[in-house]
Amino acid sequence: LHFMYSYQVIPKHGIKLIDSIVTFIRTNYPNDESGIVYCFSHKESERVAQNLQKRGFTAMHYHAGMDPQDRSKVQKDWFHGRIKIICATVAFGMGML
């Protein structure tokens, strides 16, 4: 297996946030790679995931307010490539398997 990790911080652009994320993903990761979009709140992670789903991405939210079994399923699905994008709060980094 070959893993390549990279991090980028992209400033928010107000109401154009989802459009900015979609453009970034399609421009920089056209081969359907997986990634994490970090969000500031539970509500924002849910909203961003829903909007990405509406645009054709396999995206799910992840935050500490979720049931532990649901968080575990999201982690496993992402790890195994069934989910390509996780929209998460910092709980994702703190709760990894």
Side-chain angles (χ1 to χ4, degrees):
L1 293 173
H2 173 68
F3 294 100
M4 187 175 104
Y5 301 99
S6 67
Y7 295 92
Q8 288 190 292
V9 177
I10 301 169
K12 285 184 172 185
H13 297 292
I15 60 173
K16 301 279 187 187
L17 173 63
I18 300 302
D19 291 336
S20 296
I21 293 170
V22 168
T23 298
F24 176 81
I25 294 169
R26 288 190 175 143
T27 300
N28 295 287
Y29 301 98
N31 297 320
D32 204 30
E33 293 96 339
S34 63
I36 305 167
V37 175
Y38 278 103
C39 303
F40 286 112
S41 69
H42 296 184
K43 188 173 184 170
E44 184 181 45
S45 67
E46 293 171 6
R47 183 179 57 82
V48 171
Q50 286 176 338
N51 280 292
L52 290 175
Q53 290 168 3
K54 288 177 185 176
R55 287 167 172 81
F57 294 96
T58 54
M60 289 296 296
H61 65 274
Y62 183 102
H63 56 69
M66 295 171 63
D67 182 272
Q69 290 84 9
D70 292 339
R71 283 196 315 264
S72 180
K73 180 175 179 359
V74 170
Q75 285 179 12
K76 289 175 185 173
D77 286 349
W78 182 73
F79 184 78
H80 293 289
R82 293 183 290 268
I83 295 171
K84 293 298 180 180
I85 302 169
I86 291 184
C87 301
T89 62
V90 294
F92 186 71
M94 294 168 35
M96 289 297 293
L97 297 173

